[in-house]
Amino acid sequence: MSIIDAPENTLYHQLAETLAAAIHCGTFPPGSRLPAIRRCASNHQVSVNTVLSAYRILEDRGLIEARPQSGYYVRGVLPSVKAHKEHGAKVRSPGSEKLDLIDAVFAAQNHPDYTNISLACPQNSDFFPTAKINRIMASLLRKEPALTGRYALPPGSERLRREVARRAMDLGMTLRAEEITLTHGCMEALQLALRAVTRPGDCVGLETPTYFYLFPLLASLGLSIIEIPTDPEHGMSLDALELLLQEQRLQAIIAMPTVQNPMGFSMKLEDKKRLAKLVNHYQVPLLEDGLYGELQFCWPLSPAVKAFDREGWVIYCTSFTKTLTPDFHIGWMAAGRFSESLARLKAVSSLAESRLLSETIGHFLASGGYDHHLRSLRRRYAAQLDEARGIIARHFPRGTRATLPSGGFVFWVELPGDVDSVALFHRLLLEKICLTPGALYTLSDRCRSALRLSCCYPFDERYTYALKRTGALACEMSGIAAGMT
Protein backbone atom coordinates (compact mmCIF):
# COMPACT_ATOMS: atom_id res chain seq x y z
CA MET A 1 0.00 0.00 0.00
CA SER A 2 1.41 3.41 -0.96
CA ILE A 3 1.73 6.21 1.56
CA ILE A 4 -0.95 8.25 -0.20
CA ASP A 5 -3.44 5.34 0.12
CA ALA A 6 -2.65 4.74 3.81
CA PRO A 7 -5.37 5.18 6.45
CA GLU A 8 -5.61 8.71 7.77
CA ASN A 9 -5.25 7.58 11.41
CA THR A 10 -1.69 6.33 10.98
CA LEU A 11 0.96 8.12 13.00
CA TYR A 12 2.84 9.45 9.99
CA HIS A 13 -0.41 10.65 8.41
CA GLN A 14 -1.25 12.56 11.59
CA LEU A 15 2.24 14.11 11.60
CA ALA A 16 1.84 15.08 7.92
CA GLU A 17 -1.44 16.84 8.72
CA THR A 18 0.14 18.69 11.64
CA LEU A 19 3.00 19.91 9.47
CA ALA A 20 0.63 20.79 6.60
CA ALA A 21 -1.43 22.94 8.99
CA ALA A 22 1.75 24.68 10.13
CA ILE A 23 2.66 25.41 6.49
CA HIS A 24 -0.77 26.79 5.65
CA CYS A 25 -0.91 29.06 8.71
CA GLY A 26 2.56 30.46 7.99
CA THR A 27 4.57 28.82 10.79
CA PHE A 28 6.75 27.47 8.00
CA PRO A 29 6.60 30.17 5.27
CA PRO A 30 7.33 29.43 1.59
CA GLY A 31 11.01 28.75 1.00
CA SER A 32 11.74 27.91 4.65
CA ARG A 33 13.49 24.72 5.72
CA LEU A 34 11.62 22.08 7.69
CA PRO A 35 13.28 20.63 10.79
CA ALA A 36 15.91 18.00 10.07
CA ILE A 37 14.48 14.49 10.12
CA ARG A 38 16.10 13.43 13.41
CA ARG A 39 15.18 16.69 15.11
CA CYS A 40 11.59 16.39 13.93
CA ALA A 41 11.49 12.80 15.22
CA SER A 42 12.74 13.96 18.60
CA ASN A 43 10.35 16.93 18.77
CA HIS A 44 7.31 14.77 18.02
CA GLN A 45 8.57 11.64 19.80
CA VAL A 46 8.25 9.43 16.73
CA SER A 47 10.65 7.31 14.73
CA VAL A 48 12.80 8.55 11.88
CA ASN A 49 10.81 6.34 9.47
CA THR A 50 7.58 8.01 10.60
CA VAL A 51 9.02 11.43 9.79
CA LEU A 52 10.27 10.22 6.41
CA SER A 53 6.80 8.86 5.60
CA ALA A 54 5.15 12.12 6.67
CA TYR A 55 7.54 14.17 4.54
CA ARG A 56 6.80 11.87 1.61
CA ILE A 57 3.08 12.65 1.94
CA LEU A 58 3.84 16.37 1.96
CA GLU A 59 6.02 15.95 -1.13
CA ASP A 60 3.24 14.09 -2.95
CA ARG A 61 0.83 16.90 -2.09
CA GLY A 62 3.23 19.46 -3.56
CA LEU A 63 3.77 21.28 -0.26
CA ILE A 64 7.46 20.54 0.23
CA GLU A 65 10.43 19.36 -1.78
CA ALA A 66 13.66 17.57 -0.95
CA ARG A 67 16.85 19.33 -1.96
CA PRO A 68 19.92 17.09 -2.19
CA GLN A 69 22.33 17.49 0.72
CA SER A 70 20.23 20.33 2.11
CA GLY A 71 16.96 19.03 3.55
CA TYR A 72 13.24 19.59 3.02
CA TYR A 73 11.86 23.00 2.04
CA VAL A 74 8.37 24.48 1.82
CA ARG A 75 7.07 25.23 -1.63
CA GLY A 76 5.06 28.38 -2.29
CA VAL A 77 1.52 27.78 -1.04
CA LEU A 78 -0.85 28.55 -3.88
CA PRO A 79 -3.97 26.82 -5.16
CA SER A 80 -3.43 24.99 -8.43
CA VAL A 81 -4.75 26.14 -11.79
CA LYS A 82 -8.01 24.46 -12.76
CA ALA A 83 -8.59 22.84 -16.14
CA HIS A 84 -10.82 24.87 -18.46
CA LYS A 85 -13.89 23.29 -19.97
CA GLU A 86 -13.18 21.65 -23.30
CA HIS A 87 -14.05 23.82 -26.26
CA GLY A 88 -14.88 23.03 -29.84
CA ALA A 89 -11.96 22.16 -32.09
CA LYS A 90 -12.09 25.17 -34.40
CA VAL A 91 -9.59 25.79 -37.18
CA ARG A 92 -7.87 29.09 -36.43
CA SER A 93 -5.12 31.40 -37.63
CA PRO A 94 -3.52 34.21 -35.63
CA GLY A 95 -4.95 37.62 -36.55
CA SER A 96 -3.00 40.84 -36.88
CA GLU A 97 -3.94 41.89 -33.32
CA LYS A 98 -2.28 38.74 -31.92
CA LEU A 99 0.84 39.17 -34.05
CA ASP A 100 1.07 42.86 -33.08
CA LEU A 101 0.88 41.95 -29.39
CA ILE A 102 3.68 39.41 -29.84
CA ASP A 103 5.81 42.10 -31.51
CA ALA A 104 5.07 44.53 -28.65
CA VAL A 105 6.11 41.96 -26.03
CA PHE A 106 9.34 41.15 -27.88
CA ALA A 107 10.18 44.85 -28.16
CA ALA A 108 9.70 45.32 -24.43
CA GLN A 109 11.70 42.21 -23.60
CA ASN A 110 14.63 43.52 -25.61
CA HIS A 111 14.65 46.94 -23.91
CA PRO A 112 17.71 47.17 -21.63
CA ASP A 113 15.99 49.48 -19.13
CA TYR A 114 13.06 47.14 -18.45
CA THR A 115 12.90 44.55 -15.68
CA ASN A 116 11.80 41.24 -17.14
CA ILE A 117 9.82 38.81 -15.02
CA SER A 118 8.65 36.52 -17.80
CA LEU A 119 11.24 36.23 -20.58
CA ALA A 120 12.26 32.56 -20.77
CA CYS A 121 15.94 33.34 -21.35
CA PRO A 122 18.38 33.37 -18.43
CA GLN A 123 19.92 36.84 -18.41
CA ASN A 124 22.97 36.30 -16.23
CA SER A 125 26.17 34.43 -17.09
CA ASP A 126 26.22 32.62 -13.74
CA PHE A 127 23.36 30.44 -15.00
CA PHE A 128 25.80 28.98 -17.55
CA PRO A 129 29.33 27.48 -17.38
CA THR A 130 30.61 30.41 -19.44
CA ALA A 131 34.21 30.36 -18.20
CA LYS A 132 34.61 26.64 -18.93
CA ILE A 133 33.06 27.00 -22.38
CA ASN A 134 35.39 29.90 -23.16
CA ARG A 135 38.44 27.91 -22.05
CA ILE A 136 37.48 24.98 -24.24
CA MET A 137 36.95 27.27 -27.23
CA ALA A 138 40.29 29.01 -26.67
CA SER A 139 42.04 25.65 -26.43
CA LEU A 140 40.47 24.47 -29.68
CA LEU A 141 41.62 27.61 -31.47
CA ARG A 142 45.17 27.25 -30.14
CA LYS A 143 45.36 23.65 -31.31
CA GLU A 144 43.64 24.30 -34.63
CA PRO A 145 43.95 28.01 -35.53
CA ALA A 146 42.59 27.42 -39.05
CA LEU A 147 39.29 26.16 -37.62
CA THR A 148 37.40 29.39 -38.34
CA GLY A 149 38.80 29.60 -41.88
CA ARG A 150 36.95 26.55 -43.22
CA TYR A 151 33.32 26.01 -44.11
CA ALA A 152 31.32 23.76 -41.82
CA LEU A 153 29.79 21.08 -44.01
CA PRO A 154 26.90 18.67 -43.41
CA PRO A 155 26.28 16.62 -41.35
CA GLY A 156 28.27 18.72 -38.87
CA SER A 157 30.38 17.82 -35.86
CA GLU A 158 30.54 14.08 -35.36
CA ARG A 159 31.81 14.57 -31.83
CA LEU A 160 28.74 16.59 -30.85
CA ARG A 161 26.31 14.23 -32.57
CA ARG A 162 27.93 11.29 -30.79
CA GLU A 163 27.66 13.03 -27.41
CA VAL A 164 24.04 13.98 -28.10
CA ALA A 165 23.22 10.35 -28.88
CA ARG A 166 24.89 9.25 -25.63
CA ARG A 167 23.00 11.81 -23.54
CA ALA A 168 19.66 11.00 -25.20
CA MET A 169 19.68 7.71 -23.28
CA ASP A 170 18.87 9.69 -20.10
CA LEU A 171 15.54 10.53 -21.74
CA GLY A 172 14.92 6.95 -22.83
CA MET A 173 15.95 7.42 -26.47
CA THR A 174 18.28 5.03 -28.26
CA LEU A 175 19.81 7.01 -31.12
CA ARG A 176 22.78 6.77 -33.44
CA ALA A 177 24.90 9.78 -34.33
CA GLU A 178 23.86 9.31 -37.97
CA GLU A 179 20.20 9.91 -37.03
CA ILE A 180 20.89 13.32 -35.50
CA THR A 181 20.70 16.57 -37.44
CA LEU A 182 22.29 19.65 -35.87
CA THR A 183 20.23 22.82 -36.20
CA HIS A 184 20.37 26.53 -35.42
CA GLY A 185 18.42 26.21 -32.19
CA CYS A 186 15.11 24.49 -31.45
CA MET A 187 13.03 26.91 -33.51
CA GLU A 188 14.91 26.03 -36.70
CA ALA A 189 14.40 22.36 -35.89
CA LEU A 190 10.65 22.89 -35.57
CA GLN A 191 10.53 25.00 -38.72
CA LEU A 192 12.43 22.43 -40.77
CA ALA A 193 10.26 19.64 -39.42
CA LEU A 194 7.08 21.52 -40.37
CA ARG A 195 8.41 22.17 -43.85
CA ALA A 196 9.17 18.48 -44.24
CA VAL A 197 5.81 17.08 -43.11
CA THR A 198 3.22 19.74 -44.04
CA ARG A 199 2.09 21.82 -46.99
CA PRO A 200 0.40 25.25 -47.03
CA GLY A 201 -3.24 24.84 -46.06
CA ASP A 202 -2.58 21.89 -43.73
CA CYS A 203 -3.75 21.93 -40.13
CA VAL A 204 -1.50 21.49 -37.10
CA GLY A 205 -2.68 20.52 -33.62
CA LEU A 206 -1.30 22.54 -30.68
CA GLU A 207 -1.63 22.43 -26.92
CA THR A 208 -3.49 25.38 -25.42
CA PRO A 209 -1.93 27.41 -23.98
CA THR A 210 1.30 26.86 -25.90
CA TYR A 211 4.53 28.71 -26.69
CA PHE A 212 3.29 31.86 -28.41
CA TYR A 213 5.97 32.11 -31.12
CA LEU A 214 4.55 28.99 -32.75
CA PHE A 215 1.68 31.17 -34.01
CA PRO A 216 3.76 33.43 -36.31
CA LEU A 217 5.87 30.41 -37.33
CA LEU A 218 2.82 28.47 -38.50
CA ALA A 219 1.31 31.56 -40.13
CA SER A 220 4.52 32.13 -42.12
CA LEU A 221 4.21 28.61 -43.52
CA GLY A 222 0.54 29.02 -44.46
CA LEU A 223 -0.61 26.50 -41.84
CA SER A 224 -3.85 26.54 -39.85
CA ILE A 225 -4.19 25.62 -36.18
CA ILE A 226 -6.52 23.51 -34.07
CA GLU A 227 -6.03 24.03 -30.33
CA ILE A 228 -6.34 20.84 -28.30
CA PRO A 229 -7.66 21.09 -24.71
CA THR A 230 -4.72 20.83 -22.30
CA ASP A 231 -4.90 20.14 -18.57
CA PRO A 232 -2.52 22.31 -16.50
CA GLU A 233 -1.34 19.27 -14.53
CA HIS A 234 -1.62 16.34 -16.93
CA GLY A 235 -1.23 17.81 -20.40
CA MET A 236 -2.97 17.47 -23.73
CA SER A 237 -6.33 15.71 -23.80
CA LEU A 238 -5.53 12.49 -25.62
CA ASP A 239 -9.23 11.70 -26.03
CA ALA A 240 -9.73 14.99 -27.91
CA LEU A 241 -6.58 14.33 -29.94
CA GLU A 242 -7.69 10.83 -30.88
CA LEU A 243 -11.05 12.14 -32.11
CA LEU A 244 -9.27 14.68 -34.34
CA LEU A 245 -6.98 11.95 -35.67
CA GLN A 246 -9.94 9.67 -36.39
CA GLU A 247 -11.57 12.50 -38.33
CA GLN A 248 -8.29 13.07 -40.26
CA ARG A 249 -8.32 16.76 -39.36
CA LEU A 250 -4.62 17.03 -38.48
CA GLN A 251 -1.55 16.73 -40.68
CA ALA A 252 0.89 17.26 -37.80
CA ILE A 253 1.02 17.89 -34.04
CA ILE A 254 3.38 20.06 -31.98
CA ALA A 255 3.55 19.29 -28.27
CA MET A 256 5.82 19.77 -25.27
CA PRO A 257 5.02 16.69 -23.16
CA THR A 258 7.88 17.25 -20.67
CA VAL A 259 8.12 20.51 -18.66
CA GLN A 260 5.72 22.33 -20.94
CA ASN A 261 6.03 26.02 -21.70
CA PRO A 262 4.13 27.96 -20.35
CA MET A 263 2.53 25.74 -17.68
CA GLY A 264 5.41 23.53 -16.55
CA PHE A 265 3.60 20.16 -16.42
CA SER A 266 4.99 16.84 -17.56
CA MET A 267 2.64 14.20 -18.93
CA LYS A 268 2.33 10.94 -17.03
CA LEU A 269 4.34 8.03 -18.38
CA GLU A 270 1.25 6.11 -19.49
CA ASP A 271 0.01 9.19 -21.38
CA LYS A 272 3.34 9.57 -23.17
CA LYS A 273 3.13 5.94 -24.25
CA ARG A 274 -0.44 6.44 -25.46
CA LEU A 275 0.55 9.59 -27.38
CA ALA A 276 3.34 7.72 -29.17
CA LYS A 277 0.94 4.87 -29.96
CA LEU A 278 -1.66 7.28 -31.37
CA VAL A 279 0.66 9.08 -33.78
CA ASN A 280 2.14 5.79 -34.96
CA HIS A 281 -1.28 4.23 -35.47
CA TYR A 282 -2.69 7.21 -37.38
CA GLN A 283 0.64 8.00 -39.07
CA VAL A 284 0.53 11.70 -38.21
CA PRO A 285 3.90 13.26 -37.30
CA LEU A 286 4.40 14.55 -33.76
CA LEU A 287 6.95 17.34 -33.39
CA GLU A 288 8.08 16.85 -29.79
CA ASP A 289 9.61 20.01 -28.34
CA GLY A 290 12.06 18.80 -25.69
CA LEU A 291 13.62 22.15 -24.85
CA TYR A 292 13.26 21.80 -21.06
CA GLY A 293 13.50 18.01 -20.87
CA GLU A 294 16.88 17.99 -19.14
CA LEU A 295 15.71 20.53 -16.54
CA GLN A 296 13.26 18.13 -14.87
CA PHE A 297 13.46 18.17 -11.08
CA CYS A 298 12.93 14.42 -10.75
CA TRP A 299 15.56 11.72 -11.25
CA PRO A 300 15.65 9.53 -13.22
CA LEU A 301 14.27 11.82 -15.89
CA SER A 302 10.84 11.09 -17.30
CA PRO A 303 11.38 9.69 -20.82
CA ALA A 304 10.56 11.59 -23.98
CA VAL A 305 7.59 10.46 -26.07
CA LYS A 306 10.24 9.69 -28.71
CA ALA A 307 11.43 6.87 -26.42
CA PHE A 308 8.20 4.98 -27.24
CA ASP A 309 8.18 5.76 -30.98
CA ARG A 310 8.29 2.39 -32.74
CA GLU A 311 7.79 3.45 -36.37
CA GLY A 312 9.52 6.83 -36.55
CA TRP A 313 6.55 9.23 -36.50
CA VAL A 314 7.95 11.36 -33.67
CA ILE A 315 10.44 14.14 -34.53
CA TYR A 316 12.30 15.18 -31.39
CA CYS A 317 13.55 18.79 -31.38
CA THR A 318 15.63 20.58 -28.76
CA SER A 319 18.67 22.78 -28.17
CA PHE A 320 21.30 23.82 -25.61
CA THR A 321 20.10 27.44 -25.43
CA LYS A 322 18.30 27.07 -22.08
CA THR A 323 20.94 25.00 -20.34
CA LEU A 324 24.40 25.71 -21.72
CA THR A 325 25.17 28.42 -24.29
CA PRO A 326 22.28 30.64 -25.42
CA ASP A 327 24.34 32.67 -27.91
CA PHE A 328 25.61 29.58 -29.78
CA HIS A 329 22.05 28.60 -30.83
CA ILE A 330 23.07 24.98 -31.28
CA GLY A 331 20.12 22.59 -31.42
CA TRP A 332 19.39 19.15 -32.78
CA MET A 333 16.63 16.87 -33.95
CA ALA A 334 16.08 13.13 -34.16
CA ALA A 335 13.59 12.71 -36.97
CA GLY A 336 12.92 8.99 -37.25
CA ARG A 337 11.55 8.09 -40.71
CA PHE A 338 12.09 11.72 -41.77
CA SER A 339 15.83 11.79 -40.94
CA GLU A 340 17.17 11.75 -44.49
CA SER A 341 14.73 14.31 -45.88
CA LEU A 342 15.32 16.66 -42.95
CA ALA A 343 19.10 16.34 -43.23
CA ARG A 344 18.81 17.37 -46.89
CA LEU A 345 16.44 20.21 -46.03
CA LYS A 346 18.84 21.50 -43.38
CA ALA A 347 21.72 21.40 -45.89
CA VAL A 348 19.90 23.49 -48.49
CA SER A 349 18.50 25.86 -45.84
CA SER A 350 21.59 26.77 -43.81
CA LEU A 351 24.23 24.17 -44.76
CA ALA A 352 25.62 23.25 -41.30
CA GLU A 353 26.22 24.63 -37.82
CA SER A 354 29.53 26.29 -36.88
CA ARG A 355 32.22 23.67 -36.40
CA LEU A 356 33.94 25.73 -33.69
CA LEU A 357 30.77 26.15 -31.65
CA SER A 358 29.67 22.54 -32.15
CA GLU A 359 33.09 21.13 -31.23
CA THR A 360 33.20 23.34 -28.15
CA ILE A 361 29.90 21.94 -26.88
CA GLY A 362 30.94 18.42 -27.87
CA HIS A 363 34.14 18.66 -25.81
CA PHE A 364 32.24 20.07 -22.84
CA LEU A 365 29.69 17.24 -22.92
CA ALA A 366 32.47 14.65 -23.19
CA SER A 367 34.24 16.12 -20.15
CA GLY A 368 31.37 15.24 -17.83
CA GLY A 369 30.95 18.86 -16.73
CA TYR A 370 27.45 19.09 -18.15
CA ASP A 371 25.94 16.69 -15.61
CA HIS A 372 27.37 18.67 -12.69
CA HIS A 373 26.11 21.91 -14.26
CA LEU A 374 22.61 20.50 -14.77
CA ARG A 375 22.37 19.30 -11.17
CA SER A 376 23.27 22.77 -9.95
CA LEU A 377 20.86 24.43 -12.38
CA ARG A 378 17.95 22.20 -11.36
CA ARG A 379 18.49 22.95 -7.67
CA ARG A 380 18.67 26.68 -8.34
CA TYR A 381 15.56 26.80 -10.50
CA ALA A 382 13.56 24.67 -8.05
CA ALA A 383 14.53 27.00 -5.21
CA GLN A 384 13.74 30.14 -7.22
CA LEU A 385 10.35 28.79 -8.31
CA ASP A 386 9.52 28.19 -4.66
CA GLU A 387 10.62 31.70 -3.74
CA ALA A 388 8.62 33.28 -6.58
CA ARG A 389 5.50 31.30 -5.65
CA GLY A 390 5.94 32.45 -2.08
CA ILE A 391 6.06 36.10 -3.18
CA ILE A 392 2.92 35.57 -5.25
CA ALA A 393 1.14 33.93 -2.32
CA ARG A 394 1.85 36.99 -0.16
CA HIS A 395 1.55 39.88 -2.64
CA PHE A 396 -0.93 38.85 -5.37
CA PRO A 397 -4.73 39.01 -4.97
CA ARG A 398 -6.32 36.34 -2.81
CA GLY A 399 -7.57 33.58 -5.06
CA THR A 400 -4.59 33.75 -7.43
CA ARG A 401 -3.77 30.30 -8.78
CA ALA A 402 -0.48 28.98 -10.14
CA THR A 403 0.91 25.80 -11.63
CA LEU A 404 3.55 23.75 -9.82
CA PRO A 405 6.16 23.01 -12.52
CA SER A 406 7.88 19.63 -12.83
CA GLY A 407 11.07 21.36 -13.95
CA GLY A 408 12.47 24.38 -15.76
CA PHE A 409 11.83 27.96 -14.69
CA VAL A 410 8.48 29.11 -16.13
CA PHE A 411 5.02 28.75 -14.62
CA TRP A 412 1.45 29.85 -15.28
CA VAL A 413 -0.53 32.21 -13.06
CA GLU A 414 -4.27 32.91 -13.18
CA LEU A 415 -5.57 36.07 -11.50
CA PRO A 416 -8.98 36.42 -9.84
CA GLY A 417 -11.50 39.17 -10.40
CA ASP A 418 -11.37 39.20 -14.21
CA VAL A 419 -8.08 41.10 -14.32
CA ASP A 420 -7.16 41.72 -17.96
CA SER A 421 -3.49 40.67 -18.19
CA VAL A 422 -3.04 42.59 -21.47
CA ALA A 423 -4.09 45.78 -19.68
CA LEU A 424 -1.80 44.77 -16.79
CA PHE A 425 1.05 44.33 -19.30
CA HIS A 426 0.56 47.84 -20.70
CA ARG A 427 0.31 49.45 -17.25
CA LEU A 428 3.49 47.71 -16.09
CA LEU A 429 5.34 48.93 -19.18
CA LEU A 430 4.84 52.48 -17.89
CA GLU A 431 6.90 51.40 -14.88
CA LYS A 432 9.48 49.59 -17.05
CA ILE A 433 8.37 46.10 -15.95
CA CYS A 434 7.68 43.48 -18.61
CA LEU A 435 5.55 40.35 -18.36
CA THR A 436 3.85 38.20 -20.99
CA PRO A 437 0.03 38.18 -20.82
CA GLY A 438 -1.82 34.89 -21.14
CA ALA A 439 -3.58 36.08 -24.28
CA LEU A 440 -0.34 35.52 -26.17
CA TYR A 441 -0.43 31.76 -25.57
CA THR A 442 -3.76 30.90 -27.15
CA LEU A 443 -5.89 31.89 -30.13
CA SER A 444 -9.04 31.73 -28.00
CA ASP A 445 -10.11 34.29 -25.39
CA ARG A 446 -9.88 31.91 -22.42
CA CYS A 447 -6.61 33.21 -20.92
CA ARG A 448 -7.29 36.94 -20.55
CA SER A 449 -6.69 36.80 -16.78
CA ALA A 450 -3.56 34.64 -17.00
CA LEU A 451 0.13 35.37 -17.37
CA ARG A 452 3.42 33.49 -17.57
CA LEU A 453 6.23 34.22 -15.14
CA SER A 454 9.86 33.17 -15.32
CA CYS A 455 12.44 32.49 -12.60
CA CYS A 456 15.63 32.46 -14.66
CA TYR A 457 17.00 35.70 -13.21
CA PRO A 458 19.03 36.52 -10.13
CA PHE A 459 16.57 37.01 -7.27
CA ASP A 460 17.86 40.48 -6.50
CA GLU A 461 15.98 43.51 -5.23
CA ARG A 462 15.09 44.62 -8.76
CA TYR A 463 13.42 41.32 -9.69
CA THR A 464 11.56 40.83 -6.42
CA TYR A 465 10.32 44.44 -6.47
CA ALA A 466 8.95 43.92 -10.01
CA LEU A 467 7.15 40.76 -8.92
CA LYS A 468 5.67 42.44 -5.86
CA ARG A 469 4.67 45.50 -7.88
CA THR A 470 2.88 43.25 -10.39
CA GLY A 471 0.91 41.75 -7.51
CA ALA A 472 0.07 45.17 -6.10
CA LEU A 473 -1.21 46.40 -9.44
CA ALA A 474 -3.26 43.21 -9.91
CA CYS A 475 -4.78 43.82 -6.47
CA GLU A 476 -5.67 47.37 -7.50
CA MET A 477 -7.22 46.26 -10.80
CA SER A 478 -9.20 43.42 -9.21
CA GLY A 479 -10.22 45.19 -6.01
CA ILE A 480 -9.08 42.10 -4.08
CA ALA A 481 -6.67 42.29 -1.18
CA ALA A 482 -3.32 40.48 -1.24
CA GLY A 483 -2.43 37.52 0.93
CA MET A 484 -2.84 33.81 1.41
CA THR A 485 -6.16 32.25 0.46
Side-chain angles (χ1 to χ4, degrees):
M1 179 169 56
S2 71
I3 291 173
I4 268 186
D5 296 327
E8 292 192 2
N9 60 355
T10 59
L11 196 57
Y12 58 77
H13 207 111
Q14 292 173 17
L15 177 58
E17 291 302 319
T18 298
L19 293 171
I23 290 170
H24 287 300
C25 75
T27 303
F28 296 112
S32 66
R33 186 175 184 269
L34 288 183
I37 291 171
R38 292 189 182 280
R39 181 179 176 184
C40 186
S42 175
N43 290 345
H44 293 275
Q45 297 184 332
V46 297
S47 70
V48 166
N49 285 339
T50 296
V51 177
L52 283 170
S53 297
Y55 281 9
R56 173 67 183 279
I57 290 175
L58 297 177
E59 278 189 288
D60 289 341
R61 287 167 58 178
L63 290 177
I64 69 171
E65 67 168 359
R67 297 181 189 168
Q69 301 177 335
S70 183
Y72 289 85
Y73 287 78
V74 179
R75 286 183 175 272
V77 182
L78 282 170
S80 59
V81 173
K82 294 181 179 179
H84 290 274
K85 292 181 180 180
E86 294 194 6
H87 55 285
K90 297 179 180 178
V91 177
R92 304 175 186 266
S93 295
S96 59
E97 182 180 354
K98 183 76 64 179
L99 298 177
D100 289 344
L101 181 58
I102 290 173
D103 289 342
V105 169
F106 266 129
Q109 288 175 337
N110 286 325
H111 199 293
D113 295 334
Y114 286 16
T115 301
N116 249 298
I117 57 174
S118 60
L119 179 65
C121 300
Q123 295 293 293
N124 193 292
S125 61
D126 67 356
F127 286 97
F128 303 108
T130 306
K132 293 179 180 178
I133 291 292
N134 290 344
R135 285 197 296 270
I136 291 172
M137 184 183 297
S139 175
L140 286 172
L141 287 172
R142 283 195 303 270
K143 293 175 182 177
E144 200 173 347
L147 195 60
T148 58
R150 297 197 300 268
Y151 275 100
L153 297 175
S157 169
E158 182 180 356
R159 181 189 303 275
L160 179 54
R161 289 183 290 113
R162 189 169 62 243
E163 289 300 321
V164 164
R166 180 179 65 83
R167 293 202 59 83
M169 296 181 68
D170 287 345
L171 290 164
M173 295 179 283
T174 302
L175 304 174
R176 294 177 291 109
E178 296 76 20
E179 298 177 79
I180 293 164
T181 298
L182 301 180
T183 63
H184 194 63
C186 189
M187 282 302 291
E188 188 192 38
L190 292 170
Q191 182 193 68
L192 292 173
L194 285 168
R195 289 169 59 190
V197 303
T198 64
R199 298 292 178 268
D202 283 352
C203 197
V204 178
L206 297 181
E207 298 160 319
T208 181
T210 190
Y211 174 50
F212 62 82
Y213 211 63
L214 291 177
F215 299 141
L217 171 60
L218 293 169
S220 72
L221 297 173
L223 300 171
S224 298
I225 296 165
I226 290 183
E227 294 183 300
I228 301 168
T230 304
D231 185 275
E233 293 184 9
H234 306 300
M236 179 188 292
S237 168
L238 298 184
D239 290 339
L241 174 63
E242 184 167 16
L243 182 61
L244 290 169
L245 292 172
Q246 288 173 349
E247 295 173 349
Q248 300 182 347
R249 297 182 64 186
L250 300 177
Q251 282 70 52
I253 306 156
I254 302 177
M256 212 168 189
T258 306
V259 191
Q260 194 252 15
N261 177 11
M263 292 192 287
F265 67 77
S266 290
M267 294 177 74
K268 294 179 180 179
L269 188 62
E270 56 266 32
D271 289 338
K272 290 183 176 182
K273 291 178 179 179
R274 183 183 171 193
L275 178 54
K277 188 175 181 180
L278 283 173
V279 298
N280 277 273
H281 176 75
Y282 290 99
Q283 299 186 353
V284 173
L286 168 67
L287 282 57
E288 181 179 8
D289 185 341
L291 195 55
Y292 298 90
E294 289 191 302
L295 288 176
Q296 298 177 62
F297 298 149
C298 66
W299 188 267
L301 302 179
S302 175
V305 174
K306 179 68 177 173
F308 310 109
D309 179 27
R310 300 294 175 248
E311 298 179 27
W313 288 95
V314 178
I315 302 174
Y316 188 84
C317 304
T318 189
S319 82
F320 295 100
T321 56
K322 305 298 183 185
T323 59
L324 193 56
T325 54
D327 190 58
F328 283 18
H329 282 286
I330 300 293
W332 60 273
M333 67 172 82
R337 62 174 54 239
F338 305 100
S339 291
E340 290 185 10
S341 60
L342 272 167
R344 287 194 295 269
L345 190 56
K346 165 63 180 177
V348 300
S349 297
S350 54
L351 200 62
E353 293 307 301
S354 161
R355 185 165 173 236
L356 173 62
L357 304 185
S358 299
E359 286 289 305
T360 298
I361 294 178
H363 275 80
F364 182 77
L365 297 183
S367 74
Y370 191 44
D371 290 305
H372 174 77
H373 167 64
L374 283 177
R375 286 193 294 271
S376 174
L377 207 55
R378 291 174 188 132
R379 286 194 298 268
R380 181 169 184 179
Y381 285 145
Q384 294 196 169
L385 278 165
D386 281 347
E387 188 173 348
R389 286 169 52 85
I391 291 172
I392 291 169
R394 295 189 298 273
H395 295 277
F396 277 54
R398 292 175 185 171
T400 296
R401 296 179 177 273
T403 56
L404 188 61
S406 60
F409 47 75
V410 299
F411 64 110
W412 188 251
V413 177
E414 292 187 350
L415 301 168
D418 295 324
V419 175
D420 186 333
S421 61
V422 175
L424 179 62
F425 161 73
H426 286 296
R427 288 189 63 176
L428 284 168
L429 284 187
L430 299 176
E431 302 184 33
K432 297 184 178 179
I433 297 171
C434 181
L435 60 75
T436 46
L440 251 67
Y441 298 89
T442 177
L443 298 181
S444 71
D445 59 358
R446 296 184 306 108
C447 298
R448 298 292 296 185
S449 296
L451 50 97
R452 186 193 72 178
L453 295 177
S454 177
C455 298
C456 57
Y457 312 99
F459 265 55
D460 54 19
E461 185 178 351
R462 180 180 178 184
Y463 176 87
T464 55
Y465 168 79
L467 202 54
K468 293 173 184 177
R469 179 59 188 146
T470 300
L473 195 52
C475 288
E476 178 187 321
M477 293 173 68
S478 65
I480 302 173
M484 300 283 188
T485 54

